[in-house]
Amino acid sequence: MKCQVCGAEAQPTAAFCPECGAPAPTADETPRGAGPPAARALQGRRDAARDSADEAEQTIWEGGYSPKAMIGAWVLSGTLTVALVVGGIILAEGDGRIWAGIAAAVLLLWLVQLARLAYRRLSIHYRLTTQRFFHESGILRRVTNRIETIDMDDVTAEQGLFERLVGVGSIHIVSSDRTHPDLTLHGIDNVKEIAHQLDDMRRKERMRRGLHIEQV
């Protein structure tokens, strides 16, 4: 029997190599580089999996809520603003009080939309790494949830009519995570590309850990 470290010949009953002192392989171990081709291939896959497991976790993508995701709200607000101004021209007839009310209504309308955007921009943050997906929410009370990419079962990109025009949308993730088995990410810019990255990371992680891509 050969030593796995130095390659020197050792007695089958020896506990240590006589040359380098390394522990001798047990009967159920296959020395690296020895044995039939199937055994060497299995050992190679185990070595590759062990090396991959030691790789450092890297950030693939970071993002938050995109202002372009509110394009429907912007269009609606713009339409209402035009309607109010036209109504004022027709009905006001120089009445300053009516114009003051119209101006207040328009200002309030746009302030509400800007407040919604500011809240979503400040309260939502996403981060994808080679092994996990992080979803942070909240402003005063920040909550961070993690989903292992290997636990993701399905990734779907969704876009409405206006969203398709500017390339934004939502991503729906179905996973075996107990906290968020069904998670929807809103306001994602370049939604198709990000969905592809999520799906690619889950597939790579499953392959890295030796699982079948479609295994639930």
Side-chain angles (χ1 to χ4, degrees):
M1 181 179 296
K2 289 187 177 181
C3 174
Q4 295 186 18
V5 178
C6 66
E9 291 290 341
Q11 295 294 329
T13 57
F16 298 94
C17 174
E19 295 293 332
C20 65
T26 59
D28 59 346
E29 291 180 340
T30 301
R32 187 174 300 179
R40 292 199 298 270
L42 177 60
Q43 183 64 47
R45 288 195 296 270
R46 288 175 177 172
D47 292 342
R50 185 163 51 250
D51 293 340
S52 298
D54 295 334
E55 293 180 358
E57 187 175 10
Q58 299 178 354
T59 298
I60 303 300
W61 169 77
E62 285 190 79
Y65 188 88
S66 173
K68 293 189 293 184
M70 290 185 62
I71 182 172
W74 302 136
V75 172
L76 178 61
S77 298
T79 302
L80 290 176
T81 299
V82 172
L84 288 172
V85 171
V86 172
I89 294 174
I90 297 174
L91 301 175
E93 297 181 353
D95 191 335
R97 289 176 298 179
I98 295 180
W99 279 111
I102 292 175
V106 171
L107 179 61
L108 179 62
L109 174 64
W110 286 99
L111 285 177
V112 169
Q113 300 297 356
L114 291 174
R116 290 175 60 198
L117 174 61
Y119 175 79
R120 293 173 181 178
R121 291 281 290 174
L122 295 174
S123 64
I124 299 176
H125 184 259
Y126 308 118
R127 183 165 67 94
L128 172 66
T129 72
T130 51
Q131 300 175 18
R132 293 178 291 177
F133 176 75
F134 296 83
H135 172 223
E136 299 179 6
S137 60
I139 298 179
L140 299 179
R141 181 174 178 269
R142 198 73 165 179
V143 178
T144 302
N145 294 293
R146 303 168 181 82
I147 300 178
E148 297 282 341
T149 54
I150 196 173
D151 292 333
M152 295 181 183
D153 298 318
D154 186 61
V155 179
T156 306
E158 303 173 353
Q159 292 179 287
L161 175 61
F162 290 114
E163 291 176 329
R164 290 201 302 270
L165 298 176
V166 293
V168 299
S170 300
I171 296 177
H172 184 66
I173 300 175
V174 178
S175 71
S176 57
D177 182 76
R178 293 184 178 180
T179 306
H180 290 92
D182 292 278
L183 177 64
T184 301
L185 317 177
H186 297 285
I188 306 298
D189 200 6
N190 297 321
V191 63
K192 292 183 179 179
E193 178 182 347
I194 303 306
H196 175 74
Q197 289 183 345
L198 281 164
D199 190 57
D200 190 46
M201 285 301 103
R202 81 173 183 96
R203 288 174 177 270
K204 286 182 178 179
E205 186 66 5
R206 290 193 173 195
M207 292 177 65
R208 187 178 74 85
R209 299 196 189 184
L211 297 179
H212 190 273
I213 295 300
E214 300 298 332
Q215 181 178 351
V216 178

